[in-house]
Amino acid sequence: AGGMQKMLQEAFPLDKMQTGLGAASKWMSWGLNKVAETATKIGEDIANSEVVKETERHADTLIQRTEQALATGASEVAKATETGAAVFRESIQKIEQELPTAIHDVEEKTNELIEQAKPKVKEAQESAKRSFFGAMSSAARTAIWFQSLGHAASDSEEDRSPSASPG
């Protein structure tokens, strides 16, 4: 067992392996740092490139135009709303001004129609009275006629009765 260990130690000397691993570690660290530096430099170069700057300018211009368009649109909507509200207010005021005149005109027309209808209503009342009194008069004549028929019938019955005949 001791011989095997000695043979491995001679094949892989520990101090040389540690030195080699240290060198490899430094080399890997240096390589990774170089990759990171290069990536950072590429990122900075891209950020500073004309394409990116031009894209940013276009984006800023687009944003400004969009903001202006929104502001203009909002302003136009506000103006249209204000104009619509003003027209609405004017219409309401006009209606308020015209309403008393319209009501007065309706009252006058109603009174005029009532005056025109009065003779016809009076005529209808007179006609109704005449018809009513005529009907009452006819009913009274009819009642008198029936009554007279009743007397005539009872007179003829008295004529036939034995007590009414002479002796």
Side-chain angles (χ1 to χ4, degrees), residues 28-83:
M28 287 294 289
S29 178
W30 173 85
L32 288 174
N33 282 337
K34 279 294 181 186
V35 168
E37 283 176 20
T38 304
T40 301
K41 184 172 181 341
I42 290 172
E44 288 172 356
D45 289 348
I46 289 173
N48 293 329
S49 74
E50 281 304 311
V51 172
V52 170
K53 287 180 182 176
E54 189 66 23
T55 304
E56 286 176 348
R57 280 193 293 272
H58 286 301
D60 287 344
T61 304
L62 182 63
I63 288 170
Q64 287 174 354
R65 286 182 182 166
T66 303
E67 287 174 347
Q68 288 172 351
L70 287 173
T72 302
S75 176
E76 288 177 10
V77 167
K79 284 178 188 173
T81 303
E82 189 176 307
T83 302

Side-chain angles (χ1 to χ4, degrees), residues 76-120:
E76 288 177 10
V77 167
K79 284 178 188 173
T81 303
E82 189 176 307
T83 302
V87 168
F88 181 72
R89 277 193 299 274
E90 288 174 16
S91 297
I92 293 295
Q93 288 173 349
K94 188 175 180 181
I95 290 170
E96 286 176 343
Q97 290 169 357
E98 293 176 358
L99 191 60
T101 305
I103 291 173
H104 179 70
D105 291 348
V106 168
E107 286 176 343
E108 280 185 357
K109 190 66 176 171
T110 303
N111 289 335
E112 190 178 306
L113 291 173
I114 289 171
E115 288 301 317
Q116 289 175 2
K118 278 183 181 178
K120 293 177 183 174

